[in-house]
Amino acid sequence: MEKKDLRIVYMGTPDFAVESLKRLVEGGYNVVGVITMPDKPMGRHGSVLQPSPVKQYAVSQGLRVLQPEKLKDETFVEELRSLQADLQIVVAFRMLPEVVWNMPRLGTFNLHASLLPQYRGAAPINWAVINGDTETGITTFFLKHEIDTGEIIQQVRVPIADTDNVEVVHDKLMMLGGDLVLETVDAILAGTVKTIPQEELIKQEGELRPAPKIFKGTCRIDWNKGVKQVYDFVRGLSPYPAAWTELCMSDGSRQALKVYQTEKIFASHNRQVGEICTDMKTYLHVAVKDGFINILSLQLAGKKRMDVKDFLRGYRASDNNRVE
C-alpha cells in the first residue's frame, strides 16, 4: 500500500499536536479526518469560542474536523466509522474508549512525551524537569485498555540541560515527535514494526515515576526543599502554568507571586527558610536549607511578568518580609 492510500484519522488538541499533523499533511499522507476538543469558551462572559490549535491548522488545510463532546456518543462513533480509517494517530488528546481505539484495522498509536514506561500520565515533560532528570524522550506505542501501557513501537532519547525550562524541552520533543510519527507510520506501512511490551522495560527501570495532571496546588513552591529541588521545580513549571508562592509583607499583607526563572546559590547561612535577602537594586535571594534561590524573573498577581530589577523598584523592603 502506498502512503497516499493509507487512510489516517488524527486526534490531538494543543500546539504540541500540530507539528505531527503538519508533517503528515506536508508529507503527502492521506489524513481523512481530524478529531479534536470542542471549541473553548473565552472572554469575560464566555461568549467567544476559541478553536484548538489542531483545529485551526486542520481547517486551514481543508481537512474534515470532528469535535465530539463524548467519545462514546453513538453519532460520533458512527461518523468516525464512516471515515474507514486504516490507522489512527493520537498526540496530546484524551483517553479513548475501546470502541474508538480498536476500530482501525492497523490499530491506533500514540505519541507520548516521555521514555515509557517512565512518566505515564498527563504531564510527562513537566515532571521530568521538576525531578531534575538529565534525559527524557518520546515514545510511540499502540493503545490498549490501561492508559500509556501499550506495546512500544519506537523511542528517541533527548538530553535535558540544567538550564532548560519546560518550554524548551516541550519544543524539542514537539519537533522530534513530528519525525517519529512519520517514521512510525512508514514502519507500519512497511510491516517492519517489532513492538516491545512495557513489562520487559519495567524490569530494567526499577522504580516508575508517574506524571499526574498538574493543578494550581501542585505549583506552590515548598521552600523547605533544597536549592536544586526548588530550582528544578521552578523551571519544570516555567513559563506555564508557573510555580508560585506568597509574598508576606511586614504589615501582614500577602500577595501571590509567580516565579519564572531562578539561579542556584549553594551556601551556608543562619537565615530562616523563606527569608528574603535583597540589596533593593539587583538581587532578590530567598533562603532555603542549603543556600539561596536567586529570583530573576517573577510576576505579582495582577501585574505583568518582569525581571527582578524592575520588581525591586516598587518593592517595600523590611527585615520581616518572606515567602511562604
Side-chain angles (χ1 to χ4, degrees), residues 204-317:
Q204 304 170 20
E205 294 286 341
E207 180 183 358
L208 292 185
R209 296 181 294 279
K213 188 174 181 179
I214 289 175
F215 299 95
K216 182 179 179 181
T218 315
C219 300
R220 185 162 190 166
I221 300 169
D222 182 357
W223 297 104
N224 291 302
K225 298 289 182 66
V227 167
K228 180 71 164 64
Q229 288 173 294
V230 175
Y231 172 81
D232 290 338
F233 186 79
V234 170
R235 67 191 182 99
L237 296 167
S238 179
Y240 182 82
W244 66 278
T245 188
E246 279 193 322
L247 179 61
C248 307
M249 308 298 284
S250 57
D251 61 4
S253 63
R254 290 173 173 255
Q255 284 183 286
L257 183 72
K258 290 182 177 180
V259 181
Y260 294 98
Q261 186 180 6
T262 65
E263 286 180 338
K264 305 185 293 286
I265 301 175
F266 293 98
S268 298
H269 62 82
N270 57 4
R271 303 275 189 171
Q272 291 186 350
V273 167
E275 185 177 339
I276 291 173
C277 310
T278 177
D279 66 352
M280 291 304 299
K281 292 180 180 179
T282 59
Y283 70 82
L284 185 72
H285 294 171
V286 177
V288 294
K289 61 184 180 182
D290 58 346
F292 298 91
I293 293 294
N294 183 29
I295 298 178
L296 301 176
S297 178
L298 67 169
Q299 180 181 11
L300 277 173
K303 304 290 185 179
K304 293 182 179 180
R305 177 176 172 175
M306 62 185 78
D307 66 34
V308 71
K309 292 180 182 178
D310 291 333
F311 170 79
L312 289 173
R313 289 193 185 102
Y315 176 64
R316 290 178 290 123

Side-chain angles (χ1 to χ4, degrees), residues 37-301:
M37 293 286 283
D39 294 355
K40 188 177 181 180
M42 302 289 286
R44 181 175 296 180
H45 304 292
S47 57
V48 178
L49 294 178
Q50 177 70 32
S52 73
V54 162
K55 180 182 177 180
Q56 292 178 49
Y57 177 76
V59 169
S60 76
Q61 299 302 307
L63 300 175
R64 184 174 178 181
V65 177
L66 303 180
Q67 296 176 274
E69 290 280 353
K70 296 180 180 179
L71 295 175
K72 291 183 179 180
D73 180 80
E74 290 184 11
T75 302
F76 164 68
V77 171
E78 286 305 312
E79 197 170 5
L80 181 62
R81 190 173 282 118
S82 72
L83 296 176
Q84 298 181 313
D86 299 304
L87 177 70
Q88 291 177 158
I89 301 171
V90 182
V91 181
F93 190 47
R94 56 207 252 209
M95 189 172 180
L96 303 182
E98 183 174 0
V99 68
V100 172
W101 61 256
N102 204 25
M103 191 179 293
R105 64 181 183 86
L106 294 176
T108 299
F109 79 81
N110 178 246
L111 174 71
H112 187 73
S114 81
L115 295 172
L116 289 173
Q118 293 294 355
Y119 296 114
R120 293 168 173 167
I125 307 176
N126 296 93
W127 286 108
V129 180
I130 288 171
N131 289 335
D133 291 2
T134 58
E135 182 182 62
T136 184
I138 42 177
T139 302
T140 51
F141 68 98
F142 284 115
L143 294 188
K144 67 175 192 178
H145 286 286
E146 296 80 16
I147 191 166
D148 296 338
T149 60
E151 294 193 350
I152 289 172
I153 306 169
Q154 291 178 293
Q155 290 187 323
V156 174
R157 295 179 176 272
V158 179
I160 303 175
D162 184 62
T163 54
D164 286 347
N165 65 14
V166 75
E167 182 178 47
V168 171
V169 180
H170 169 280
D171 290 352
K172 287 181 188 176
L173 298 184
M174 178 176 68
M175 300 306 292
L176 291 170
D179 295 335
L180 190 60
V181 163
L182 295 197
E183 290 174 17
T184 300
V185 173
D186 289 342
I188 291 171
L189 260 177
T192 58
V193 169
K194 294 182 180 179
T195 59
I196 302 173
Q198 289 193 39
E199 289 73 21
E200 291 185 14
L201 298 176
I202 289 173
K203 295 174 185 177
Q204 304 170 20
E205 294 286 341
E207 180 183 358
L208 292 185
R209 296 181 294 279
K213 188 174 181 179
I214 289 175
F215 299 95
K216 182 179 179 181
T218 315
C219 300
R220 185 162 190 166
I221 300 169
D222 182 357
W223 297 104
N224 291 302
K225 298 289 182 66
V227 167
K228 180 71 164 64
Q229 288 173 294
V230 175
Y231 172 81
D232 290 338
F233 186 79
V234 170
R235 67 191 182 99
L237 296 167
S238 179
Y240 182 82
W244 66 278
T245 188
E246 279 193 322
L247 179 61
C248 307
M249 308 298 284
S250 57
D251 61 4
S253 63
R254 290 173 173 255
Q255 284 183 286
L257 183 72
K258 290 182 177 180
V259 181
Y260 294 98
Q261 186 180 6
T262 65
E263 286 180 338
K264 305 185 293 286
I265 301 175
F266 293 98
S268 298
H269 62 82
N270 57 4
R271 303 275 189 171
Q272 291 186 350
V273 167
E275 185 177 339
I276 291 173
C277 310
T278 177
D279 66 352
M280 291 304 299
K281 292 180 180 179
T282 59
Y283 70 82
L284 185 72
H285 294 171
V286 177
V288 294
K289 61 184 180 182
D290 58 346
F292 298 91
I293 293 294
N294 183 29
I295 298 178
L296 301 176
S297 178
L298 67 169
Q299 180 181 11
L300 277 173

